[in-house]
Amino acid sequence: TPELNDRSRTPLYLQLYSYIRDSILERNILPGEKLPSLRSLARTLNLSVTTVELAYSQLLVEGYLSSKPQSGYFINAMPKDFSISEPGRLFLSPQDQHAELAFSETTQEQDRFSFAPEERGTQTSLYFDPASFDFIKWKKCTNAILTDYSNLLLKEGDPRGEFSLRAEISKYIYQARGVRCNREQVVIGAGTQQLISLLCIILQRMGIEHVSFEDPGYVAVRGIFKDRDFKMNGVPIDRDGILIEKLPVNIRSTVYLSPSNQFPTGSVMPVARRYALLDWAFQNNSIIIEDDYNSELRYDSRPVPSLQGLDNNEQVVYIGSFSSTLFPAIKISYMVLPSAMRRLFSEVLGGYTQTCSKSEQLTLALYMGKGYYQTNLKKLRKLYAQKILLATAAITRHGKGKIRVLNNSSGLHMLLDFSGASNKKTTEEICREAALTGLTITPVSNFGGQGLSSMAIFYYTRVPADKMEQAIIDLAALL
């Protein structure tokens, strides 16, 4: 029985979740054991059933538990050999009184510009939702940089990225994603592809010339590895993510994946497979590239902790981006390098110049430091959760038998199946016609995989809430 503190700032369900998770990892609760029912444990601990259910749900999402209908909740098997991570062991405080900027907020008047129609984006019919980002606070931060810190813009930036932004990122990803790092391990770049290009140089200097990808998976970075003459192969996935037994053995290699929100299926890799993946990397002296794609945007549970936070052998490169949680044009991404790779980066790439705008980096640092980023993220979760309900309900009403929702629990899109369409159009044809109505829908087959020809990715987040019903009616009419 755990001792829960109702005066703690940590919610009771998170205290219960942590207690059960740690008990599983410490082998105090063994695989196959049954947990108490929701009502039974709620009575024992004098908690609400909802509190217990929230804790169990998070453990289910992360793969510590499985649920059997009419039977209850059971502990999943863990790998035989693994070591328990110590949260915060490698974390160093990002605060430095001599180097960190002492930002102050201003209320500068917004500059006004006039644009030609084609510059305002009116040439496209695709939906976009202005409610997804509040530019007023961003403007305040931009004005503060231009007014109070303009002297910083008159010299070249750090090749790794601005100190203040790397400090804010290291602090945020530790608190929100469990990533254990210090600011010296953070490298900022203009998008994931640019960071991968730099990473390729480091990997080849380490003697790594082979890379594996999820199939289907994120294809935008594959061309970069190909251009660098990496040997490449696709690895099938199942409902729990990449099949580890299909990864290369006895050669030093790397694998690129999204364990917390697999693209495009949205699946979450359970903790047992995460430890098995880390063991594969250790046994084969290999590197895991963890693309934490849209991991903060979960709507049925808390975000799943990062794979990097479980890594005690420093074999995970963590990659994140602000494009989906701020606005697409921001193009600021970052990677967290293990200590040995960070030193190699300094040796090999120290002469490279930073590709991100220094003013945008400083603006984002201020935006995060004032808590605006976290506030915007909460707003997005609430807005997108509402849109999921609207889109799913509309599909049930207007697309019954034609459209089936396969996954709608996280990220910026939902996974749809068009196999019930009566007019026998191909998924590619449906997506092209949908674009004419303003919808952004992409065939899953564009990203690889076998037997997925009827599946498509629907970016419902781009549709304003008040236009969702009509958007689904238009989509159903195509089928």
Side-chain angles (χ1 to χ4, degrees):
T1 302
E3 292 185 7
L4 305 180
N5 182 4
D6 57 6
R7 295 184 179 181
S8 170
R9 297 180 64 181
T10 302
L12 289 171
Y13 84 92
L14 283 183
Q15 295 181 48
L16 180 59
Y17 152 83
S18 298
Y19 175 83
I20 297 174
R21 179 202 61 193
D22 294 346
S23 296
I24 294 170
L25 295 177
E26 292 166 2
R27 309 292 191 186
N28 293 328
I29 310 176
L30 298 178
E33 285 193 31
K34 182 180 179 181
L35 287 181
S37 69
L38 298 176
R39 294 184 182 280
S40 173
L41 189 57
R43 279 196 304 270
T44 301
L45 301 179
N46 195 26
L47 299 172
S48 70
V49 173
T50 300
T51 298
V52 178
E53 186 174 23
L54 285 171
Y56 279 19
S57 294
Q58 188 65 28
L59 291 162
L60 280 167
V61 169
E62 296 183 20
Y64 292 99
L65 306 183
S66 57
S67 175
K68 298 179 181 178
Q70 310 302 318
S71 297
Y73 298 89
F74 295 84
I75 307 299
N76 285 335
M78 294 290 112
K80 291 183 179 179
D81 299 310
F82 69 92
S83 58
I84 300 171
S85 300
E86 300 174 19
R89 179 174 59 87
L90 300 180
F91 178 70
L92 301 178
S93 171
Q95 295 179 349
D96 187 318
Q97 298 299 321
H98 299 290
E100 195 165 18
L101 294 176
F103 286 122
S104 65
E105 187 175 7
T106 68
T107 55
Q108 190 76 3
E109 181 77 20
Q110 180 182 16
D111 292 329
R112 298 187 179 274
F113 298 89
S114 60
F115 294 95
E118 62 272 13
E119 293 174 311
R120 289 199 296 264
T122 54
Q123 78 277 18
T124 177
S125 61
L126 294 177
Y127 282 115
F128 65 93
D129 187 2
S132 61
F133 189 73
D134 179 6
F135 280 96
I136 294 177
K137 292 177 181 177
W138 184 263
K139 178 204 67 173
K140 288 181 179 180
C141 296
T142 300
N143 286 339
I145 296 301
L146 296 177
T147 302
D148 300 332
Y149 299 97
S150 56
N151 62 304
L152 297 175
L153 304 178
L154 299 176
K155 58 183 179 179
E156 287 286 339
D158 190 314
R160 297 167 298 173
E162 290 309 298
F163 175 93
S164 55
L165 180 55
R166 288 187 286 117
E168 289 295 342
I169 287 174
S170 65
K171 182 166 58 177
Y172 169 74
I173 58 179
Y174 174 70
Q175 295 170 347
R177 305 294 304 119
V179 174
R180 301 177 295 169
C181 70
N182 60 59
R183 58 179 171 263
E184 300 304 320
Q185 295 172 257
V186 178
V187 178
I188 295 168
T192 299
Q193 291 172 303
Q194 192 264 338
L195 288 175
I196 291 297
S197 183
L198 296 178
L199 188 57
C200 283
I201 300 173
I202 301 174
L203 291 172
Q204 288 179 324
R205 189 63 70 94
M206 295 168 64
I208 295 178
E209 298 180 344
H210 185 279
V211 59
S212 299
F213 296 96
E214 298 167 311
D215 185 23
Y218 182 54
V219 300
V221 300
R222 297 184 189 182
I224 300 170
F225 284 99
K226 183 179 179 180
D227 292 342
R228 292 283 183 178
D229 296 324
F230 277 76
K231 298 179 179 65
M232 301 161 50
N233 75 300
V235 179
I237 63 171
D238 63 13
R239 61 182 297 175
D240 291 334
I242 199 166
L243 298 177
I244 297 171
E245 62 271 19
K246 302 289 185 180
L247 291 172
V249 293
N250 300 323
I251 63 169
R252 197 175 192 194
S253 64
T254 188
V255 58
Y256 187 104
L257 43 68
S258 302
S260 296
N261 184 15
Q262 200 279 331
F263 181 86
T265 66
S267 65
V268 177
M269 183 179 289
V271 67
R273 189 170 296 190
R274 290 177 184 236
Y275 278 115
L277 180 62
L278 291 170
D279 184 64
W280 167 84
F282 179 74
Q283 296 297 332
N284 294 281
N285 195 20
S286 295
I287 295 295
I288 300 167
I289 303 174
E290 177 185 12
D291 186 343
D292 209 20
Y293 169 74
N294 290 338
S295 58
E296 298 113 315
L297 297 175
R298 294 201 67 83
Y299 313 116
D300 59 358
S301 63
R302 296 183 76 248
V304 179
S306 69
L307 177 68
Q308 193 268 6
L310 301 176
D311 175 28
N312 287 327
N313 297 306
E314 296 205 312
Q315 292 180 285
V316 177
V317 176
Y318 178 90
I319 292 181
S321 174
F322 293 98
S323 295
S324 59
T325 51
L326 291 176
F327 49 93
I330 188 67
K331 281 299 177 187
I332 295 180
S333 297
Y334 57 91
M335 63 181 173
V336 176
L337 297 173
S339 298
M341 295 180 71
R342 179 187 64 80
R343 289 190 292 271
L344 192 58
F345 174 87
S346 299
E347 295 170 6
V348 176
L349 303 172
Y352 278 63
T353 57
Q354 177 54 240
T355 54
C356 274
S357 161
K358 187 172 183 178
S359 61
E360 284 194 345
Q361 290 185 64
L362 295 174
T363 297
L364 178 55
L366 176 55
Y367 190 83
M368 296 180 74
K370 288 188 170 296
Y372 295 157
Y373 180 72
Q374 293 83 343
T375 301
N376 185 68
L377 198 55
K378 290 178 182 178
K379 172 189 171 183
L380 285 183
R381 289 185 187 131
K382 183 177 180 180
L383 175 63
Y384 293 165
Q386 177 194 15
K387 289 186 179 184
I388 282 178
L389 295 177
L390 292 172
T392 303
I395 288 172
T396 301
R397 283 193 296 272
H398 307 293
K400 189 174 183 180
K402 305 173 187 177
I403 311 170
R404 186 161 60 99
V405 178
L406 301 178
N407 190 308
N408 62 355
S409 62
S410 64
L412 299 176
H413 66 263
M414 57 172 54
L415 194 62
L416 303 180
D417 179 20
F418 294 141
S419 59
S422 57
N423 56 16
K424 302 306 179 186
K425 293 178 183 176
T426 66
T427 303
E428 289 76 10
E429 290 172 332
I430 295 170
C431 292
R432 282 196 297 270
E433 294 180 16
L436 299 178
T437 72
L439 297 176
T440 305
I441 306 180
T442 306
V444 170
S445 58
N446 285 3
F447 307 99
Q450 300 295 321
L452 305 176
S453 60
S454 66
M455 298 182 190
I457 299 167
F458 169 36
Y459 290 90
Y460 70 93
T461 51
R462 300 181 185 180
V463 182
D466 60 350
K467 292 180 170 60
M468 189 68 73
E469 182 86 9
Q470 186 59 50
I472 299 302
I473 291 175
D474 294 341
L475 175 60
L478 298 177
L479 306 178

